[in-house]
Amino acid sequence: HTYNVLLPLAGAFQASNALVAAGLAIGLGEDAEKVFAALAHLKGAPGRMAHPRRLDGLESTFDEAET
């Protein structure tokens, strides 16, 4: 099967992490269609890879969370 996945997180590392988690969930018996659909609703940690919109229409990315 092929699934189109919408992942609202920035960064290839986040895509890798999400797909590994999805694979584990599917491997444990969760329905693949539901697992991949759930990825569209993921939210990142506050302050991590944020994309604030500015009034002038420009966008930027910042990562200021303490780890």
Side-chain angles (χ1 to χ4, degrees), residues 1-48:
H1 295 277
T2 299
Y3 296 92
N4 292 317
V5 177
L6 173 65
L7 187 63
L9 302 174
F13 68 96
Q14 297 212 61
S16 295
N17 290 343
L19 292 174
V20 167
L24 290 170
I26 293 165
L28 291 170
E30 295 296 326
D31 179 68
E33 197 164 316
K34 290 180 182 178
V35 170
F36 288 123
L39 294 180
H41 302 287
L42 290 177
K43 295 189 186 313
R48 301 302 314 251

